[in-house]
């Protein structure tokens, strides 16, 4: 997200030209798909992990630029808030020891980043939303020093023409507003990338949409924001509302929001890119020099910079990605559903479950989505975010069932089969999927642990502010052990 722009000042003519360039890019992508320009290959995976920085009191530390400068590691980059960083883990195959290799590299990278953070009297924390945040720490001045972030803030706030209003109702209620997208920095996620053949893209995207509610229910890790207990994964409604560029009149007319689950199953990746062109005006109309048609005519592979930039400002929970690596184009599903944390082991358990289950579902016939209404999938997405591991979700052939039963009885065996298709070593398969099974057995994920710990501290007579700080300090201690959250004591 932190890519710099050449300019952040755009004219109406820039926007006209940008729209034309996006359309040309879409035409070029269509031609590439029709001409078979994408070479088949084994599926590969990638991870992005967003990180918060905190001080000795577990409050946000606005020092990401200093930490990043000391670290000097290209895998890390700035994120929206001055207390955010992002780790981009190099892609790889899951075959053999792929999952274990991920774990080792992530732990080593976080250890190095932790050393740089300590020099600035800060610590790293992997969590969906930092529980000690206050609204006063999420203002325009707290946006990272990055041209793209400033441009996004200006464009989205300008398009809305009013304050961003937040209204989230859970066990408690949050009602607030902001004149900037800076509060979006409260949302920290773990994003999974899955490279697939073009002919299979629709199946993998549809499967990802179908299980999004299950992912949230299992992995919820954001129950607190601004000192209130809200949804199990408050990140979902907060991100949607904190970046909603639509004026109220547009929302009332049914104009689609830029943070979007979608409204139908697809037959091709082109369905998603065409929706981007049809429904969403450009936010960052940065113009490049490439003529994609000329590049294709010369036998080359176009970068499609405008199409990719526009796609990057439509925040689907499962987003299509076109990219070029080593002169070869490929397509990815970017799964943006889950929060960061609680531990590296927990995140890789979530990844193993996602990669394995999606592969198995994508290759089954008849496909799951043939008997699952899209509206039911979206309802499950919101139920999983709201209720977490206590959620009851609809599943074809099972009706509405506790998500823990659904996972243990129906989905974990499929995830095992999917990981076997990747060639994952059985020991790693069993370890990481075992974490998911134990999470279901104990009915404890990050959101449950946070909520129960805060409740326990408050029962000692301490107020919510102290309880959140104490819980966050304990969270930091347990996170360093890399033991999964369902084993953490209350």
């Amino acid at each position: 997200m932190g890519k710099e722009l050449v300019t952040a000042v755009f004219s109406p003519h820039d926007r006209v030209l940008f729209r034309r360039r996006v359309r040309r890019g879409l035409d070029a992508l269509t031609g590439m798909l029709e001409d078979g320009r994408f070479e088949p290959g084994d599926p590969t995976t990638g991870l992005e992990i967003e990180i918060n920085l905190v001080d000795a009191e577990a409050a946000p530390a606005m020092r990401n630029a200093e930490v990043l400068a000391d670290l000097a590691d290209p895998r890390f980059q700035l994120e929206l808030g001055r207390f955010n960083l992002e780790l981009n883990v190099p892609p790889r195959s899951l075959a053999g020891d792929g999952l274990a290799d991920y774990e080792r590299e992530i732990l080593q990278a976080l250890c190095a980043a932790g050393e740089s953070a300590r020099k600035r009297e800060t610590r790293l924390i992997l969590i969906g939303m930092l529980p000690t945040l206050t609204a006063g720490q999420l203002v325009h001045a707290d946006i990272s020093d990055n041209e793209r972030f400033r441009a996004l803030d200006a464009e989205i706030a300008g398009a809305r023409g009013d304050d961003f209003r937040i209204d989230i109702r859970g066990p408690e209620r949050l009602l607030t507003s902001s004149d900037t997208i800076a509060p979006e920095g409260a949302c920290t996620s773990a994003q999974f990338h899955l490279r697939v053949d073009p002919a299979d893209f629709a199946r993998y995207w549809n499967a990802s949409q179908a299980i999004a509610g299950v992912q949230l229910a299992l992995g919820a890790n954001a129950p607190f924001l601004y000192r209130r207990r809200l949804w199990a994964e408050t990140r979902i409604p907060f991100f949607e509302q904190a970046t909603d560029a639509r004026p109220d009149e547009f929302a009332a007319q049914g104009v689609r929001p830029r943070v979007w689950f979608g409204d139908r199953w697809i037959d091709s990746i082109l369905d998603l890119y065409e929706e981007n062109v049809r429904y969403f005006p450009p936010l960052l109309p940065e113009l490049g020099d490439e003529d994609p048609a000329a590049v294709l005519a010369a036998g080359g592979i176009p970068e499609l910079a405008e199409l990719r930039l526009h796609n990057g400002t439509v925040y689907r929970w499962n987003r299509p990605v076109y990219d070029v690596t080593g002169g070869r184009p490929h397509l990815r599903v970017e799964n943006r559903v889950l929060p960061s944390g609680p531990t590296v082991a927990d995140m890789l358990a979530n990844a193993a479950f996602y990669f394995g289950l999606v592969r198995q579902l994508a290759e089954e016939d008849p496909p799951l989505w043939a008997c699952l209404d899209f509206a039911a999938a979206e309802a499950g997405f919101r139920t999983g975010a709201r209720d977490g591991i206590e959620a009851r979700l609809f599943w074809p052939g099972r009706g509405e069932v506790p998500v823990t039963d659904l996972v243990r009885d129906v989905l974990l065996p499929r995830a095992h089969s999917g990981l076997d298709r990747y060639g994952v070593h059985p020991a790693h398969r069993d370890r990481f999927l075992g974490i998911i099974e134990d999470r279901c057995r104990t009915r404890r994920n990050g959101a449950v642990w946070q909520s129960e710990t805060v409740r326990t501290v408050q029962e000692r007579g301490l107020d919510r502010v102290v309880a959140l700080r104490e819980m966050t300090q304990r969270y930091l201690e347990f996170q360093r052990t890399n033991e999964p959250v369902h084993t953490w004591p209350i």
Side-chain angles (χ1 to χ4, degrees), residues 194 196-212 215 260-269 271-273 275-276 311 316-321 332-336 354 358-359 361-362 369 374 377:
L194 183 56
V196 298
D197 287 343
D200 300 328
F201 181 91
R203 282 180 164 266
Y204 277 88
W205 188 86
N206 288 342
S208 298
Q209 292 284 95
I211 67 166
Q215 285 183 274
W260 194 31
F261 185 79
D263 57 15
R264 63 188 177 111
W265 306 118
I266 66 168
D267 299 313
S268 164
I269 190 173
D271 294 343
L272 302 178
Y273 279 109
E275 287 177 348
N276 288 356
N311 184 58
R316 298 177 187 270
W317 294 108
N318 285 292
R319 183 155 64 185
V321 176
R332 302 194 305 267
V333 177
E334 181 186 14
N335 179 254
R336 302 161 49 82
Y354 168 75
V358 163
R359 176 151 188 182
L361 292 176
W369 46 97
F374 192 91

Side-chain angles (χ1 to χ4, degrees), residues 279-359:
Y279 299 138
F280 302 105
L283 281 182
L284 301 175
E286 180 79 10
L287 297 167
D289 298 325
E290 180 184 71
D291 180 346
V295 172
L296 285 173
I301 300 298
E303 294 290 332
L304 305 185
E306 290 86 3
L307 184 71
R308 292 162 65 186
L309 179 57
H310 186 50
N311 184 58
T313 63
V314 180
Y315 303 103
R316 298 177 187 270
W317 294 108
N318 285 292
R319 183 155 64 185
V321 176
Y322 167 87
D323 208 348
V324 181
T325 304
R328 299 173 61 185
H330 67 265
L331 303 179
R332 302 194 305 267
V333 177
E334 181 186 14
N335 179 254
R336 302 161 49 82
V337 168
L338 286 170
S340 186
T343 65
V344 174
D346 282 305
M347 289 188 290
L348 286 172
N350 294 339
F353 181 73
Y354 168 75
F355 290 134
L357 181 56
V358 163
R359 176 151 188 182

Side-chain angles (χ1 to χ4, degrees), residues 206-276:
N206 288 342
S208 298
Q209 292 284 95
I211 67 166
V214 177
Q215 285 183 274
L216 282 169
L218 292 176
N221 192 33
F224 291 102
L225 180 64
Y226 296 170
R227 300 172 180 168
R228 291 172 174 80
R229 183 178 167 220
L230 302 166
W231 288 20
E233 188 53 36
T234 305
R235 207 180 98 259
I236 299 300
F238 189 72
F239 185 70
E240 290 177 336
Q241 296 179 35
T243 56
D244 191 349
R246 301 172 300 171
D248 291 343
E249 299 86 350
F250 285 13
Q253 294 168 27
V255 172
R256 290 159 177 79
R258 296 191 89 96
V259 182
W260 194 31
F261 185 79
D263 57 15
R264 63 188 177 111
W265 306 118
I266 66 168
D267 299 313
S268 164
I269 190 173
L270 296 176
D271 294 343
L272 302 178
Y273 279 109
E274 286 170 353
E275 287 177 348
N276 288 356

Side-chain angles (χ1 to χ4, degrees), residues 396-451:
R398 300 276 297 193
E400 188 177 284
V401 295
V403 68
T404 50
D405 293 347
L406 174 64
V407 171
R408 297 175 75 183
D409 297 344
V410 178
L411 303 184
L412 269 175
R414 285 182 162 90
H416 272 83
S417 298
L419 292 183
D420 288 344
R421 290 174 184 263
Y422 284 114
V424 174
H425 192 290
H428 306 316
R429 176 201 65 197
D430 293 345
R431 178 192 168 211
F432 288 114
L433 292 185
I435 291 172
I436 298 296
E437 183 171 14
D438 288 344
R439 214 184 281 169
C440 291
R441 177 180 53 79
T442 59
R443 304 179 75 85
R444 182 182 294 173
N445 57 15
V448 171
W449 185 89
Q450 288 188 53
S451 298

Side-chain angles (χ1 to χ4, degrees), residues 42-53:
D42 293 333
T44 56
T45 62
L47 300 177
E48 298 176 41
I49 301 170
E50 294 172 350
I51 304 161
N52 288 325
L53 301 175

